[in-house]
Amino acid sequence: MRGKPNISRPTEIVNPSKSADQPIRPKASQRKGRTETVEHAARRPSQKRSIERFNAILEATEQLLQTAKIEDISFYDIARRADLPPASVHYLFPTMASVRIELSRLYNKQASDVVLRMDKALRMNPSATWQEWMRKMASDTRDHYNANRHICEVLLGPILHRESRLANMEANDAVGGALLENLRTVFIVPQIPHLTRYFVCLCEIVDALWSRSYLQYGTIDDESFEESVAVQIAYLRSILPETLPRRDGI
């Protein structure tokens, strides 16, 4: 017995203008919320007990990041490690992006402290050029990253949310400005328009190279590091003089 013939229906023609007016269906986390947007900022507590929970959540996440990938960690994983109810984690950190943003701020501050410590050490070397200064700064920052997997996961791992990327950009704004100010404490730097912006761009370039290396190899390997240093020096040579005089007394 023959079945019914397979008659294909004509493809419905979609009106582009009509389709463009239809909003994209929001994610589940948005649909369940009371507002149209998802808040990715952590709720910073003021009471002692809540502050302790806030810090415990960050510490638990850091412990998980010693072995786990950042995209695989959930609220339940953090709650179990911190020995807290999942609702407590979710209250202080509405999304996983908010956890990452807080850790990003913390780790970028630590990286800036490493740069400051190296800056003081380099002042003791009267023959160091700005090129050697930049290389030493990059080398010690790389060692700090490679010795702390959790930092690499947060700062160099995959970007999961727009807010995380914006937080990294803000951090690079701060690090780039601090890097230039540190350079000025040792060397006499000419007044160059938009110089701070150039140092911020430099941080973005290094981030991209180091992130690629970490995602590929789980570390900032030697070859990628040397490439990043070469790019830094070449980029700054297009902006700065080849030789910068040191400040008197340094």
Side-chain angles (χ1 to χ4, degrees):
M1 183 176 181
R2 294 185 180 181
K4 294 182 179 180
N6 184 13
I7 302 175
S8 59
R9 296 177 179 270
T11 304
E12 181 181 355
I13 299 177
V14 179
N15 187 337
S17 60
K18 181 180 179 180
S19 177
D21 294 336
Q22 295 177 348
I24 297 174
R25 188 168 183 258
K27 292 183 179 180
S29 57
Q30 281 182 278
R31 295 196 300 273
K32 294 177 182 177
R34 297 181 180 179
T35 61
E36 294 182 355
T37 59
V38 179
E39 180 61 53
H40 290 297
R43 297 185 177 97
R44 287 186 165 273
S46 57
Q47 296 182 353
K48 180 180 178 181
R49 184 180 178 184
S50 296
I51 292 173
E52 290 174 351
R53 287 188 172 187
F54 187 92
N55 293 331
I57 290 167
L58 294 180
E59 290 174 4
T61 308
E62 183 173 294
Q63 292 170 10
L64 291 169
L65 288 172
Q66 302 297 330
T67 54
K69 295 180 180 179
I70 191 168
E71 64 268 29
D72 294 336
I73 296 176
S74 69
F75 280 128
Y76 292 97
D77 298 323
I78 297 172
R80 186 164 52 249
R81 179 58 65 95
D83 196 20
L84 292 171
S88 297
V89 179
H90 190 268
Y91 174 76
L92 293 171
F93 296 91
T95 63
M96 286 301 300
S98 62
V99 179
R100 179 174 185 159
I101 289 170
E102 284 300 311
L103 288 175
S104 176
R105 289 171 178 161
L106 175 63
Y107 297 159
N108 274 300
K109 175 63 170 58
Q110 293 176 5
S112 296
D113 291 342
V114 170
V115 170
L116 288 173
R117 289 197 299 270
M118 292 307 102
D119 177 60
K120 293 178 181 178
L122 284 169
R123 294 188 194 190
M124 306 303 294
N125 183 0
S127 63
T129 64
W130 68 261
Q131 293 90 339
E132 293 168 335
W133 186 86
M134 290 297 301
R135 181 182 183 85
K136 180 62 175 173
M137 291 290 181
S139 177
D140 285 14
T141 304
R142 175 219 185 185
D143 290 344
H144 177 66
Y145 279 24
N146 280 346
N148 296 278
R149 183 184 187 276
H150 54 286
I151 293 179
C152 290
E153 277 294 315
V154 171
L155 299 183
L156 304 179
I159 299 296
L160 306 179
H161 298 84
R162 183 182 300 267
E163 286 80 0
S164 297
R165 181 70 186 100
L166 290 173
N168 281 1
M169 290 170 60
E170 290 175 2
N172 281 334
D173 289 346
V175 173
L179 195 60
L180 175 57
E181 290 306 311
N182 288 345
L183 185 69
R184 282 175 168 155
T185 63
V186 180
F187 300 96
I188 299 175
V189 181
Q191 295 297 321
I192 300 172
H194 312 299
L195 189 54
T196 301
R197 181 176 178 274
Y198 294 138
F199 273 78
V200 171
C201 290
L202 189 69
C203 292
E204 291 284 336
I205 293 169
V206 173
D207 260 7
L209 292 172
W210 287 9
S211 178
R212 183 177 186 273
S213 175
Y214 178 72
L215 291 174
Q216 279 188 310
Y217 311 117
T219 187
I220 305 169
D221 68 304
D222 292 341
E223 184 176 355
S224 298
F225 172 73
E226 292 300 334
E227 288 173 351
S228 71
V229 171
V231 168
Q232 288 183 72
I233 301 302
Y235 180 75
L236 288 178
R237 275 177 170 154
S238 69
I239 302 164
L240 297 175
E242 184 64 23
T243 302
L244 290 177
R246 294 175 69 96
R247 292 192 178 276
D248 294 338
I250 298 180

mmCIF file of all heavy atoms in Angstrom, residues 51-66 73 77-79 81-84 93 99 102-103 106-107 150:
data_model
loop_
_atom_site.group_PDB
_atom_site.id
_atom_site.type_symbol
_atom_site.label_atom_id
_atom_site.label_comp_id
_atom_site.label_asym_id
_atom_site.label_seq_id
_atom_site.Cartn_x
_atom_site.Cartn_y
_atom_site.Cartn_z
ATOM 1 N N ILE A 51 30.028 39.990 55.296
ATOM 2 C CA ILE A 51 31.365 40.199 54.732
ATOM 3 C C ILE A 51 32.163 38.904 54.780
ATOM 4 O O ILE A 51 32.880 38.552 53.833
ATOM 5 C CB ILE A 51 32.099 41.324 55.493
ATOM 6 C CG1 ILE A 51 31.422 42.673 55.227
ATOM 7 C CG2 ILE A 51 33.568 41.387 55.077
ATOM 8 C CD1 ILE A 51 31.971 43.806 56.066
ATOM 9 N N GLU A 52 32.031 38.171 55.877
ATOM 10 C CA GLU A 52 32.729 36.886 55.998
ATOM 11 C C GLU A 52 32.231 35.903 54.945
ATOM 12 O O GLU A 52 33.023 35.154 54.352
ATOM 13 C CB GLU A 52 32.518 36.311 57.400
ATOM 14 C CG GLU A 52 33.241 37.098 58.486
ATOM 15 C CD GLU A 52 32.911 36.608 59.886
ATOM 16 O OE1 GLU A 52 31.980 35.753 60.008
ATOM 17 O OE2 GLU A 52 33.576 37.044 60.849
ATOM 18 N N ARG A 53 30.938 35.889 54.690
ATOM 19 C CA ARG A 53 30.392 35.018 53.646
ATOM 20 C C ARG A 53 30.881 35.450 52.270
ATOM 21 O O ARG A 53 31.219 34.609 51.436
ATOM 22 C CB ARG A 53 28.865 35.047 53.691
ATOM 23 C CG ARG A 53 28.264 34.291 54.855
ATOM 24 C CD ARG A 53 26.755 34.196 54.728
ATOM 25 N NE ARG A 53 26.176 33.327 55.739
ATOM 26 C CZ ARG A 53 24.902 32.956 55.772
ATOM 27 N NH1 ARG A 53 24.069 33.403 54.838
ATOM 28 N NH2 ARG A 53 24.460 32.156 56.718
ATOM 29 N N PHE A 54 30.905 36.737 52.048
ATOM 30 C CA PHE A 54 31.370 37.287 50.769
ATOM 31 C C PHE A 54 32.801 36.821 50.487
ATOM 32 O O PHE A 54 33.107 36.311 49.399
ATOM 33 C CB PHE A 54 31.303 38.816 50.846
ATOM 34 C CG PHE A 54 31.583 39.531 49.554
ATOM 35 C CD1 PHE A 54 30.542 39.856 48.693
ATOM 36 C CD2 PHE A 54 32.869 39.902 49.200
ATOM 37 C CE1 PHE A 54 30.787 40.529 47.509
ATOM 38 C CE2 PHE A 54 33.125 40.568 48.026
ATOM 39 C CZ PHE A 54 32.076 40.888 47.173
ATOM 40 N N ASN A 55 33.673 36.963 51.479
ATOM 41 C CA ASN A 55 35.070 36.554 51.312
ATOM 42 C C ASN A 55 35.194 35.039 51.206
ATOM 43 O O ASN A 55 36.050 34.532 50.453
ATOM 44 C CB ASN A 55 35.905 37.072 52.486
ATOM 45 C CG ASN A 55 36.022 38.582 52.492
ATOM 46 O OD1 ASN A 55 35.974 39.223 51.437
ATOM 47 N ND2 ASN A 55 36.172 39.170 53.664
ATOM 48 N N ALA A 56 34.348 34.312 51.938
ATOM 49 C CA ALA A 56 34.392 32.846 51.866
ATOM 50 C C ALA A 56 34.022 32.357 50.475
ATOM 51 O O ALA A 56 34.585 31.365 49.978
ATOM 52 C CB ALA A 56 33.455 32.251 52.910
ATOM 53 N N ILE A 57 33.097 33.033 49.833
ATOM 54 C CA ILE A 57 32.683 32.654 48.475
ATOM 55 C C ILE A 57 33.832 32.870 47.499
ATOM 56 O O ILE A 57 34.109 32.019 46.647
ATOM 57 C CB ILE A 57 31.446 33.473 48.063
ATOM 58 C CG1 ILE A 57 30.231 33.021 48.882
ATOM 59 C CG2 ILE A 57 31.172 33.332 46.573
ATOM 60 C CD1 ILE A 57 29.044 33.945 48.782
ATOM 61 N N LEU A 58 34.518 33.996 47.625
ATOM 62 C CA LEU A 58 35.656 34.265 46.738
ATOM 63 C C LEU A 58 36.787 33.269 46.987
ATOM 64 O O LEU A 58 37.416 32.782 46.035
ATOM 65 C CB LEU A 58 36.149 35.695 46.937
ATOM 66 C CG LEU A 58 35.184 36.816 46.532
ATOM 67 C CD1 LEU A 58 35.807 38.176 46.789
ATOM 68 C CD2 LEU A 58 34.782 36.690 45.064
ATOM 69 N N GLU A 59 37.040 32.958 48.259
ATOM 70 C CA GLU A 59 38.097 31.994 48.582
ATOM 71 C C GLU A 59 37.748 30.599 48.065
ATOM 72 O O GLU A 59 38.626 29.885 47.558
ATOM 73 C CB GLU A 59 38.309 31.959 50.095
ATOM 74 C CG GLU A 59 38.942 33.226 50.647
ATOM 75 C CD GLU A 59 39.008 33.226 52.163
ATOM 76 O OE1 GLU A 59 38.632 32.192 52.770
ATOM 77 O OE2 GLU A 59 39.416 34.255 52.742
ATOM 78 N N ALA A 60 36.478 30.216 48.173
ATOM 79 C CA ALA A 60 36.056 28.899 47.678
ATOM 80 C C ALA A 60 36.210 28.821 46.164
ATOM 81 O O ALA A 60 36.664 27.797 45.627
ATOM 82 C CB ALA A 60 34.602 28.641 48.076
ATOM 83 N N THR A 61 35.854 29.898 45.475
ATOM 84 C CA THR A 61 36.004 29.924 44.018
ATOM 85 C C THR A 61 37.471 29.821 43.640
ATOM 86 O O THR A 61 37.841 29.100 42.701
ATOM 87 C CB THR A 61 35.401 31.215 43.439
ATOM 88 O OG1 THR A 61 34.068 31.372 43.907
ATOM 89 C CG2 THR A 61 35.406 31.176 41.923
ATOM 90 N N GLU A 62 38.309 30.524 44.368
ATOM 91 C CA GLU A 62 39.746 30.475 44.108
ATOM 92 C C GLU A 62 40.285 29.060 44.286
ATOM 93 O O GLU A 62 41.111 28.588 43.492
ATOM 94 C CB GLU A 62 40.466 31.449 45.039
ATOM 95 C CG GLU A 62 41.964 31.542 44.810
ATOM 96 C CD GLU A 62 42.593 32.642 45.633
ATOM 97 O OE1 GLU A 62 42.278 33.823 45.383
ATOM 98 O OE2 GLU A 62 43.397 32.320 46.539
ATOM 99 N N GLN A 63 39.817 28.369 45.302
ATOM 100 C CA GLN A 63 40.249 26.989 45.527
ATOM 101 C C GLN A 63 39.807 26.076 44.380
ATOM 102 O O GLN A 63 40.577 25.218 43.925
ATOM 103 C CB GLN A 63 39.683 26.482 46.851
ATOM 104 C CG GLN A 63 40.261 27.166 48.079
ATOM 105 C CD GLN A 63 39.522 26.813 49.351
ATOM 106 O OE1 GLN A 63 38.688 25.907 49.366
ATOM 107 N NE2 GLN A 63 39.801 27.531 50.430
ATOM 108 N N LEU A 64 38.587 26.263 43.911
ATOM 109 C CA LEU A 64 38.098 25.451 42.797
ATOM 110 C C LEU A 64 38.900 25.704 41.524
ATOM 111 O O LEU A 64 39.135 24.794 40.728
ATOM 112 C CB LEU A 64 36.614 25.757 42.550
ATOM 113 C CG LEU A 64 35.635 25.300 43.633
ATOM 114 C CD1 LEU A 64 34.255 25.897 43.384
ATOM 115 C CD2 LEU A 64 35.551 23.780 43.670
ATOM 116 N N LEU A 65 39.336 26.951 41.353
ATOM 117 C CA LEU A 65 40.068 27.314 40.139
ATOM 118 C C LEU A 65 41.496 26.762 40.108
ATOM 119 O O LEU A 65 42.173 26.888 39.101
ATOM 120 C CB LEU A 65 40.114 28.841 39.991
ATOM 121 C CG LEU A 65 38.785 29.502 39.600
ATOM 122 C CD1 LEU A 65 38.900 31.019 39.675
ATOM 123 C CD2 LEU A 65 38.365 29.076 38.197
ATOM 124 N N GLN A 66 41.920 26.150 41.210
ATOM 125 C CA GLN A 66 43.239 25.532 41.204
ATOM 126 C C GLN A 66 43.284 24.361 40.217
ATOM 127 O O GLN A 66 44.348 24.043 39.664
ATOM 128 C CB GLN A 66 43.600 25.031 42.609
ATOM 129 C CG GLN A 66 43.593 26.096 43.686
ATOM 130 C CD GLN A 66 44.612 27.188 43.464
ATOM 131 O OE1 GLN A 66 45.678 26.958 42.877
ATOM 132 N NE2 GLN A 66 44.307 28.378 43.934
ATOM 133 N N ILE A 73 32.493 25.923 36.589
ATOM 134 C CA ILE A 73 32.123 26.110 37.991
ATOM 135 C C ILE A 73 30.715 26.689 38.085
ATOM 136 O O ILE A 73 30.349 27.606 37.349
ATOM 137 C CB ILE A 73 33.135 27.041 38.687
ATOM 138 C CG1 ILE A 73 34.520 26.382 38.706
ATOM 139 C CG2 ILE A 73 32.694 27.352 40.114
ATOM 140 C CD1 ILE A 73 35.599 27.272 39.276
ATOM 141 N N ASP A 77 28.716 24.354 43.126
ATOM 142 C CA ASP A 77 30.101 23.980 43.429
ATOM 143 C C ASP A 77 30.698 24.921 44.472
ATOM 144 O O ASP A 77 31.363 24.484 45.420
ATOM 145 C CB ASP A 77 30.949 24.026 42.156
ATOM 146 C CG ASP A 77 30.485 23.041 41.103
ATOM 147 O OD1 ASP A 77 30.074 21.928 41.477
ATOM 148 O OD2 ASP A 77 30.513 23.403 39.904
ATOM 149 N N ILE A 78 30.466 26.216 44.272
ATOM 150 C CA ILE A 78 31.001 27.220 45.194
ATOM 151 C C ILE A 78 30.378 27.068 46.568
ATOM 152 O O ILE A 78 31.063 27.113 47.599
ATOM 153 C CB ILE A 78 30.768 28.640 44.642
ATOM 154 C CG1 ILE A 78 31.515 28.826 43.317
ATOM 155 C CG2 ILE A 78 31.213 29.691 45.651
ATOM 156 C CD1 ILE A 78 31.192 30.127 42.598
ATOM 157 N N ALA A 79 29.046 26.887 46.589
ATOM 158 C CA ALA A 79 28.343 26.751 47.865
ATOM 159 C C ALA A 79 28.839 25.532 48.645
ATOM 160 O O ALA A 79 29.044 25.597 49.865
ATOM 161 C CB ALA A 79 26.843 26.648 47.612
ATOM 162 N N ARG A 81 31.795 24.049 48.408
ATOM 163 C CA ARG A 81 33.160 24.272 48.883
ATOM 164 C C ARG A 81 33.191 25.276 50.048
ATOM 165 O O ARG A 81 33.997 25.124 50.978
ATOM 166 C CB ARG A 81 34.027 24.776 47.725
ATOM 167 C CG ARG A 81 35.472 25.066 48.092
ATOM 168 C CD ARG A 81 36.173 23.839 48.654
ATOM 169 N NE ARG A 81 36.306 22.785 47.676
ATOM 170 C CZ ARG A 81 37.390 22.589 46.922
ATOM 171 N NH1 ARG A 81 38.440 23.371 47.070
ATOM 172 N NH2 ARG A 81 37.425 21.597 46.060
ATOM 173 N N ALA A 82 32.329 26.286 49.991
ATOM 174 C CA ALA A 82 32.296 27.302 51.051
ATOM 175 C C ALA A 82 31.437 26.884 52.237
ATOM 176 O O ALA A 82 31.379 27.610 53.236
ATOM 177 C CB ALA A 82 31.779 28.626 50.484
ATOM 178 N N ASP A 83 30.750 25.740 52.105
ATOM 179 C CA ASP A 83 29.850 25.247 53.145
ATOM 180 C C ASP A 83 28.763 26.280 53.447
ATOM 181 O O ASP A 83 28.493 26.624 54.608
ATOM 182 C CB ASP A 83 30.634 24.910 54.424
ATOM 183 C CG ASP A 83 29.818 24.046 55.389
ATOM 184 O OD1 ASP A 83 28.848 23.406 54.929
ATOM 185 O OD2 ASP A 83 30.142 24.026 56.590
ATOM 186 N N LEU A 84 28.147 26.766 52.368
ATOM 187 C CA LEU A 84 27.079 27.753 52.473
ATOM 188 C C LEU A 84 25.886 27.292 51.642
ATOM 189 O O LEU A 84 26.059 26.535 50.680
ATOM 190 C CB LEU A 84 27.551 29.121 51.955
ATOM 191 C CG LEU A 84 28.613 29.868 52.767
ATOM 192 C CD1 LEU A 84 29.102 31.082 51.978
ATOM 193 C CD2 LEU A 84 28.052 30.304 54.119
ATOM 194 N N PHE A 93 26.127 37.234 44.994
ATOM 195 C CA PHE A 93 26.641 37.247 43.620
ATOM 196 C C PHE A 93 25.517 36.795 42.689
ATOM 197 O O PHE A 93 25.314 35.599 42.497
ATOM 198 C CB PHE A 93 27.858 36.332 43.495
ATOM 199 C CG PHE A 93 29.040 36.774 44.313
ATOM 200 C CD1 PHE A 93 29.204 36.314 45.625
ATOM 201 C CD2 PHE A 93 29.970 37.647 43.794
ATOM 202 C CE1 PHE A 93 30.283 36.719 46.383
ATOM 203 C CE2 PHE A 93 31.064 38.061 44.552
ATOM 204 C CZ PHE A 93 31.219 37.607 45.851
ATOM 205 N N VAL A 99 30.963 37.007 40.198
ATOM 206 C CA VAL A 99 32.072 36.382 40.924
ATOM 207 C C VAL A 99 33.379 36.646 40.195
ATOM 208 O O VAL A 99 34.392 37.044 40.790
ATOM 209 C CB VAL A 99 31.845 34.863 41.076
ATOM 210 C CG1 VAL A 99 33.018 34.221 41.808
ATOM 211 C CG2 VAL A 99 30.542 34.579 41.803
ATOM 212 N N GLU A 102 34.624 40.314 40.511
ATOM 213 C CA GLU A 102 35.249 40.607 41.804
ATOM 214 C C GLU A 102 36.650 40.024 41.880
ATOM 215 O O GLU A 102 37.586 40.672 42.357
ATOM 216 C CB GLU A 102 34.389 40.060 42.936
ATOM 217 C CG GLU A 102 33.162 40.884 43.233
ATOM 218 C CD GLU A 102 33.492 42.307 43.636
ATOM 219 O OE1 GLU A 102 34.367 42.496 44.518
ATOM 220 O OE2 GLU A 102 32.882 43.237 43.081
ATOM 221 N N LEU A 103 36.810 38.785 41.413
ATOM 222 C CA LEU A 103 38.138 38.171 41.420
ATOM 223 C C LEU A 103 39.081 38.896 40.465
ATOM 224 O O LEU A 103 40.274 39.051 40.751
ATOM 225 C CB LEU A 103 38.034 36.694 41.041
ATOM 226 C CG LEU A 103 37.413 35.779 42.098
ATOM 227 C CD1 LEU A 103 37.246 34.372 41.546
ATOM 228 C CD2 LEU A 103 38.245 35.756 43.373
ATOM 229 N N LEU A 106 40.444 41.894 42.173
ATOM 230 C CA LEU A 106 41.408 41.496 43.194
ATOM 231 C C LEU A 106 42.741 41.106 42.573
ATOM 232 O O LEU A 106 43.807 41.550 43.022
ATOM 233 C CB LEU A 106 40.831 40.329 43.999
ATOM 234 C CG LEU A 106 41.758 39.690 45.037
ATOM 235 C CD1 LEU A 106 42.133 40.685 46.118
ATOM 236 C CD2 LEU A 106 41.091 38.458 45.651
ATOM 237 N N TYR A 107 42.699 40.288 41.525
ATOM 238 C CA TYR A 107 43.934 39.796 40.917
ATOM 239 C C TYR A 107 44.678 40.880 40.141
ATOM 240 O O TYR A 107 45.909 40.880 40.090
ATOM 241 C CB TYR A 107 43.621 38.611 40.004
ATOM 242 C CG TYR A 107 43.048 37.421 40.738
ATOM 243 C CD1 TYR A 107 42.305 36.448 40.063
ATOM 244 C CD2 TYR A 107 43.246 37.257 42.105
ATOM 245 C CE1 TYR A 107 41.772 35.359 40.735
ATOM 246 C CE2 TYR A 107 42.715 36.174 42.781
ATOM 247 C CZ TYR A 107 41.974 35.227 42.094
ATOM 248 O OH TYR A 107 41.451 34.158 42.758
ATOM 249 N N HIS A 150 44.750 29.977 39.341
ATOM 250 C CA HIS A 150 43.456 30.626 39.516
ATOM 251 C C HIS A 150 43.443 32.040 38.931
ATOM 252 O O HIS A 150 42.431 32.499 38.405
ATOM 253 C CB HIS A 150 43.077 30.669 40.999
ATOM 254 C CG HIS A 150 44.110 31.289 41.887
ATOM 255 N ND1 HIS A 150 45.280 30.660 42.231
ATOM 256 C CD2 HIS A 150 44.150 32.506 42.492
ATOM 257 C CE1 HIS A 150 45.990 31.435 43.031
ATOM 258 N NE2 HIS A 150 45.336 32.572 43.196
#
